[in-house]
């Protein structure tokens, strides 16, 4: 079986749009489907680290690897779940914007740090949780990635936010990483009963076509409760509306991003990959 590791940055310059929830639950869903996953938490807030049940620990992050002080193998931590590993974040990463901003190799530093793990083929997916800014950490994460997944909320000015990040992707593609692709756009915290939501979803789908994932993640209180328990909602409450949506999203993601090339693309067994009623929360 041939396996080609895919590096996916989950990015949006805006905070609170569901990036970390998507990182944690996509990673969990893929690991449950026997895909080996490494989450790289590059947000100094360390919400992905905590959401996967790990504590922040000084010296255990990509930071010392970026400084050349530790090999990357030393900072990869297992979680409680099979196939699900994480490079945690720590507070030192908060200084990285300033500290690394003057480094000549700043654009390629994350790519260089991840290269041994990517080339080892130990993982199917390396999923990077980016900080909410268009700064050096996010930019160098995009340079290190094969594709960028953008979680967005269906709200006023969503298209403007998308223009900012797709503009960054385009600039990186034209300069340092010509292979960088837009992986897709996934709607989070959706309430399809709202007229504005329907309008924004239609507008974004018209503009970005099949780059928009069919699966939409509904607003669901269980998704927001799970992080405090350190358990991804897909494991904590697998039949909640939020978990069902993230599992369906995991299937759709796997089908669109195959990493193993001797078997046909995976198909969900009993449930359809797309929920029939995409996003009506029952709370
Ligand atoms: N589908 C959802 N339903 C309800 N709350 C959600 C959902 N997705 C995320 N949240 C909550 O919204 C907040 C922001 O989400 P988060 O994933 O941390 O976004 P980001 O990483 O973009 O800042 C968090 O408190 C999170 O628990
Ligand atoms: Mg976050």
């Amino acid at each position: 079986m041939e396996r080609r590791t895919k590096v996916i940055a989950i990015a949006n310059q805006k905070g609170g749009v569901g990036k970390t929830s998507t990182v944690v639950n996509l990673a969990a869903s893929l690991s449950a489907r026997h895909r080996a996953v490494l989450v790289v938490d590059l947000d100094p807030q360390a919400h992905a680290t905590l959401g996967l049940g790990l504590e922040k620990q000084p010296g255990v992050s990509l930071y010392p690897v970026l400084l050349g002080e530790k090999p990357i193998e030393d900072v990869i931590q297992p979680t409680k779940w099979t196939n699900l590993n994480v490079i945690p974040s720590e507070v030192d990463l908060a200084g990285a914007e300033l500290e690394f901003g003057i480094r000549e190799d700043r654009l390629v530093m994350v790519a260089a740090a991840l290269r041994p793990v990517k080339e080892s083929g130990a993982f199917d997916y390396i999923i990077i949780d980016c900080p909410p800014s268009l700064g050096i950490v996010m930019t160098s994460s995009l340079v290190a990635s094969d594709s960028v997944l953008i979680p967005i909320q269906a709200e006023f000015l969503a298209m403007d936010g998308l223009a900012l990040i797709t503009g960054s992707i385009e600039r990186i593609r034209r300069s340092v990483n010509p292979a960088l692709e837009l992986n897709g756009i996934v709607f989070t915290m959706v309430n399809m009963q709202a007229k504005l939501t329907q309008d924004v979803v239609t507008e974004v789908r018209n503009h970005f076509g099949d780059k928009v994932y069919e699966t939409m993640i509904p607003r669901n209180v269980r998704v927001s409760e799970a992080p405090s328990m350190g358990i991804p909602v897909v494991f904590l409450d697998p039949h909640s509306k939020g978990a069902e949506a993230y599992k369906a999203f995991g299937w759709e993601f796997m089908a669109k991003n195959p990493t193993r090339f001797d078997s046909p693309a995976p198909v969900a067994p009993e449930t359809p990959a797309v929920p029939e009623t995409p996003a009506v929360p029952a709370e």
Side-chain angles (χ1 to χ4, degrees), residues 247-279:
K247 286 188 287 180
F249 175 62
W251 280 113
E252 189 182 356
F253 180 92
M254 253 165 81
K256 288 186 173 153
N257 299 278
T259 57
R260 299 173 186 205
F261 297 94
D262 62 348
S263 49
V267 179
E270 67 284 45
T271 48
V274 184
E276 280 106 23
T277 43

Side-chain angles (χ1 to χ4, degrees), residues 15-21 41 43 45 47-48 129-132:
V17 297
K19 286 185 293 297
T20 301
S21 304
D41 188 355
D43 187 342
Q45 296 182 92
H47 289 168
D129 193 9
C130 293

Side-chain angles (χ1 to χ4, degrees), residues 138-158:
M138 173 166 148
T139 308
S140 58
S141 299
L142 266 50
V143 171
S145 297
D146 297 304
S147 64
V148 190
L149 174 67
I150 309 174
I152 60 159
Q153 281 180 271
E155 59 184 18
F156 184 55
L157 299 180

Side-chain angles (χ1 to χ4, degrees), residues 126-191:
I126 299 176
I127 301 178
I128 307 178
D129 193 9
C130 293
S133 79
L134 291 165
I136 193 67
V137 174
M138 173 166 148
T139 308
S140 58
S141 299
L142 266 50
V143 171
S145 297
D146 297 304
S147 64
V148 190
L149 174 67
I150 309 174
I152 60 159
Q153 281 180 271
E155 59 184 18
F156 184 55
L157 299 180
M159 283 295 281
D160 289 19
L162 278 172
L164 267 179
I165 177 149
T166 52
S168 293
I169 294 172
E170 192 48 47
R171 274 191 299 281
I172 291 168
R173 189 187 294 137
R174 272 190 265 118
S175 53
V176 213
N177 180 4
L180 183 65
E181 284 177 24
L182 173 61
N183 179 290
I185 295 164
V186 56
F187 281 103
T188 58
M189 294 180 246
V190 168
N191 170 13

Side-chain angles (χ1 to χ4, degrees), residues 12 14-22 43 45 47 129-130 132 151 188-190 217-227 242 246 283:
N12 188 322
K14 212 171 155 200
V17 297
K19 286 185 293 297
T20 301
S21 304
T22 300
D43 187 342
Q45 296 182 92
H47 289 168
D129 193 9
C130 293
T188 58
M189 294 180 246
V190 168
I217 313 300
R219 187 173 281 283
N220 174 240
V221 68
R222 298 300 279 152
V223 178
S224 57
E225 288 167 353
Y246 269 120
E283 286 171 22

